[in-house]
């Protein structure tokens, strides 16, 4: 059941399904959001677990920094499909539309695999990790060891997309999170097993990372089967593959720019004083802040599933403020006395003298998930009115701000563990400001399509 509105953006009415005429309650919003947040957070929490496998080999936390950089390059290449789940939620609501989205998804996966294979060529790999990222040899080596194994890992991430689309479009966020819980439970079991068996180091860390992702894909497929033949729309107005690609392109470019920011930060911190202390300290702190930021980013799915009924409807915004505040303070639990020493020193093999560096980074990162939640809310509103250019502009503003802030901090001799958190928070605010500004501007007159999302509520 589609819905449309005509006129400028100021005249657009956001509508919800006629099957649910009442505005969603906070209980409904919470019930839908929590599984998504847990899914996103737990996906990211597997990386600190996998880090244990890397750090128990000779090189310690240098291996962790190398695996982290390898993952960043993998996600940079994989950003070609960063907007695929959103595109699937928009265009995969009919049988044929979903089939065409499925084909586009696997095309993007093949392209990403080819690019990663090219980076595995030794001269190209050195140019990326050594020259471009500026990694010292002690970190470049582990990064290049791990990277070839990220090819099948990245393909698994792409393979998960179609099943998540089916689950999200039918309100089955709980089932989607169950698949991820299976992944984190297996990672939790495998990481100490790998260490016990002596299967440690950068390569084994990626193997330990990939096996549970494969299980997650299988569980997501199993749970999505009931929805594979149930679609909300008929095949009356099926998008062409080209349409899906063009809709996905700005979202993917935005994802590319966001991932590029991680590479930029790593390159800047690598050029700061004592990079072999600062990079591991920053990555350990952001390793806990990132899961909360990813959880907060699921607010975009909440807005898509519960569209505002009018421009005056601020219910999802108020919910975003509350949810963002909660997830922002959770990582601070790990800087409490006793717990911080157990996690960072005993578990992650950090040198005790570097614990204050991680604590400072964690405190400065507290605003990162909160601002990510507000950005995701705004991005959801932009998707509803197909103002994808606003999302791209917000991401450009984020990267531009980071490209200015990080080198400026470096020039001012700011400590490397501080550069990352300060640049991330300020850049997030710049991206949010660009989104708010562009969405406040009127669109040119003409028909504006508004997405009407149907499915199980609450």
């Amino acid at each position: 059941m589609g819905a449309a509105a005509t006129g400028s953006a100021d005249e657009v009415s956001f509508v919800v399904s006629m099957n649910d005429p009442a505005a969603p309650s906070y209980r409904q919003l919470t019930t839908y959001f929590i599984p998504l947040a847990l899914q996103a957070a737990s996906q990211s929490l597997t990386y600190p677990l996998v880090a244990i496998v890397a750090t128990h080999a000779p090189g310690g936390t240098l291996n962790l920094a190398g695996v982290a950089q390898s993952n960043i390059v993998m996600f940079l290449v994989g950003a070609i499909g960063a907007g695929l789940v959103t595109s699937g939620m928009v265009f995969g609501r009919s049988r044929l539309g979903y089939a065409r989205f499925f084909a586009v998804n696997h095309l993007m996966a093949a392209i990403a695999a080819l690019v990663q294979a090219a980076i595995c060529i030794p001269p190209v790999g050195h140019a990326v990790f050594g020259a471009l990222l500026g990694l010292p040899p002690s970190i470049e080596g582990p990064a290049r060891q791990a990277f070839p194994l990220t090819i099948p890992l990245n393909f698994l991430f792409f393979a998960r997309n179609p099943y998540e689309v089916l689950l999200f479009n039918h309100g089955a966020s709980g089932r989607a999170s169950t698949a991820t819980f299976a992944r984190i439970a297996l990672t939790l079991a495998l990481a100490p097993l790998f260490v016990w068996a002596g299967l440690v180091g950068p390569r084994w860390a990626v193997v330990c990372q990939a096996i549970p992702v494969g299980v997650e894909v299988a569980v997501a497929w199993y749970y999505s089967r009931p929805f594979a033949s149930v679609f909300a729309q008929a095949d009356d107005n099926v998008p062409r593959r080209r349409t899906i690609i063009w809709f996905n392109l700005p979202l993917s470019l935005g994802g590319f720019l966001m991932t590029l920011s991680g590479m930029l930060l790593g390159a800047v911190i690598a050029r700061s004083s004592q990079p072999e202390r600062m990079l591991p300290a920053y990555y350990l702190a952001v390793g806990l802040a990132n899961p909360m930021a990813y959880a907060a980013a699921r607010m975009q799915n909440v807005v898509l599933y519960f569209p505002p009924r009018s421009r005056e409807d601020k219910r999802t915004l108020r919910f975003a403020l509350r949810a963002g505040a909660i997830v922002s303070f959770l990582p601070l639990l790990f800087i409490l006395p006793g717990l911080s020493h157990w996690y960072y020193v005993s578990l992650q093999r950090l040198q005790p003298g570097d614990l204050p560096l991680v604590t400072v980074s964690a405190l400065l990162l507290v605003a990162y998930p909160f601002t990510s939640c507000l950005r995701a809310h705004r991005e959801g509103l932009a998707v509803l009115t197909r103002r994808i250019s606003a999302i791209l502009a917000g991401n450009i503003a984020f990267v531009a701000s980071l490209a200015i802030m990080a080198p400026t901090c470096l020039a001012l001799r700011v400590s490397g563990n501080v550069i990352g958190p300060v640049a991330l928070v300020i850049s997030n605010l710049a991206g949010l400001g660009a989104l708010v500004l562009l969405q406040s501007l009127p669109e040119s007159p003409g028909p504006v399509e508004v997405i009407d999302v149907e499915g199980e509520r609450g």
Side-chain angles (χ1 to χ4, degrees):
M1 173 172 26
T6 58
S8 68
D10 292 332
E11 299 169 338
V12 174
S13 295
F14 296 108
V15 296
V16 295
S17 171
M18 292 178 63
N19 293 333
D20 186 15
S25 65
Y26 284 114
R27 179 179 179 180
Q28 287 177 301
L29 292 169
T30 302
T31 302
Y32 186 78
F33 174 71
I34 285 181
L36 291 176
L38 289 175
Q39 180 195 31
S42 58
Q43 284 175 350
S44 303
L45 285 173
T46 59
Y47 302 118
L49 292 174
V50 168
I52 300 171
V53 178
T55 56
H56 275 74
T61 54
L62 296 176
N63 293 330
L64 164 65
V67 173
Q69 291 286 356
S70 177
N71 273 289
I72 286 175
V73 175
M74 175 191 71
F75 286 126
L76 180 68
V77 176
I80 188 175
L84 283 171
V85 172
T86 300
S87 300
M89 290 187 70
V90 174
F91 294 110
R93 297 178 53 75
S94 69
R95 188 184 308 275
L96 187 53
Y98 178 79
R100 290 183 176 175
F101 158 73
F102 192 93
V104 169
N105 179 76
H106 283 69
L107 172 64
M108 299 297 183
I111 293 174
L114 289 174
V115 174
Q116 285 180 266
I119 297 175
C120 291
I121 300 172
V124 179
H126 177 68
V128 171
F129 291 103
L132 180 62
L133 295 181
L135 299 180
S138 58
I139 297 178
E140 179 191 349
R144 293 180 60 187
Q145 288 176 33
F147 190 72
L149 293 170
T150 65
I151 296 177
L153 174 61
N154 212 14
F155 188 85
L156 288 172
F157 286 135
F158 276 93
R160 184 183 60 191
N161 290 337
Y163 311 124
E164 288 198 334
V165 166
L166 287 175
L167 294 170
F168 293 163
N169 271 350
H170 289 84
S173 57
R175 298 187 188 188
S177 64
T178 300
T180 301
F181 295 155
R183 169 185 169 188
I184 193 167
L186 185 56
T187 307
L188 186 62
L190 284 180
L193 182 62
F194 273 50
V195 173
W196 174 81
L199 305 176
V200 294
R203 294 189 181 94
W204 285 112
V206 180
V207 173
C208 183
Q209 185 179 357
I211 294 173
V213 175
V215 172
E216 180 187 24
V217 174
V219 175
W221 165 80
Y222 177 80
Y223 279 131
S224 68
R225 289 187 308 162
F227 309 120
S229 58
V230 179
F231 293 94
Q233 295 176 356
D235 290 326
D236 297 333
N237 187 20
V238 179
R240 301 173 63 185
R241 293 183 183 88
R242 183 182 304 174
T243 302
I244 299 175
I245 291 174
W246 280 110
F247 183 87
N248 177 73
L249 186 60
L251 295 173
S252 293
L253 182 56
F256 174 84
L257 293 175
M258 295 297 291
T259 308
L260 184 64
S261 67
M263 293 183 63
L264 175 62
L265 275 180
V268 172
I269 297 173
R271 289 168 172 80
S272 66
S273 176
Q274 298 180 298
E276 296 183 351
R277 295 180 63 206
M278 298 304 169
L279 273 172
Y282 166 69
Y283 281 129
L284 284 173
V286 83
L288 293 177
N290 270 336
M292 297 301 102
Y294 295 149
R298 293 297 195 178
M299 192 57 59
Q300 182 183 125
N301 300 87
V302 174
V303 176
L304 289 177
Y305 194 70
F306 295 103
R309 300 171 60 83
S310 69
R311 291 195 175 277
E312 290 71 37
D313 184 358
K314 305 297 182 184
R315 185 173 293 262
T316 55
L317 174 59
R318 290 192 294 269
F319 179 75
L321 290 168
R322 298 176 185 181
I326 292 172
V327 300
S328 293
F329 285 95
L330 290 178
L332 295 185
L333 294 174
F334 287 86
I335 66 173
L336 294 176
L339 186 57
S340 62
H341 190 278
W342 169 79
Y343 177 74
Y344 291 115
V345 178
S346 301
L347 198 59
Q348 297 291 7
R349 315 282 289 195
L350 181 73
Q351 294 297 320
D354 291 340
L355 190 56
L357 298 176
V358 179
T359 301
V360 170
S361 295
L363 287 170
L364 292 174
L365 282 166
V366 70
Y368 177 44
F370 181 75
T371 50
S372 296
C373 193
L374 297 183
R375 282 189 62 199
H377 176 268
R378 275 285 170 176
E379 288 173 348
L381 296 179
V383 172
L384 284 172
T385 51
R386 305 292 176 92
R387 300 186 74 167
I388 306 302
S389 58
I391 298 178
L392 180 58
N395 289 329
I396 291 175
F398 177 95
V399 176
S401 176
L402 189 141
I404 295 172
M405 283 301 305
T408 299
C409 289
L410 182 65
L412 295 174
R413 299 184 182 279
V414 175
S415 178
N417 66 308
V418 173
I419 292 175
V422 170
L424 280 175
V425 173
I426 293 178
S427 300
N428 238 358
L429 290 172
L432 176 61
L435 274 166
V436 172
L437 176 63
L438 288 177
Q439 287 182 275
S440 67
L441 299 176
E443 282 187 313
S444 57
V448 180
E449 185 176 358
V450 182
I451 303 168
D452 174 25
V453 185
E454 264 187 279
E456 303 171 12
R457 300 286 187 183

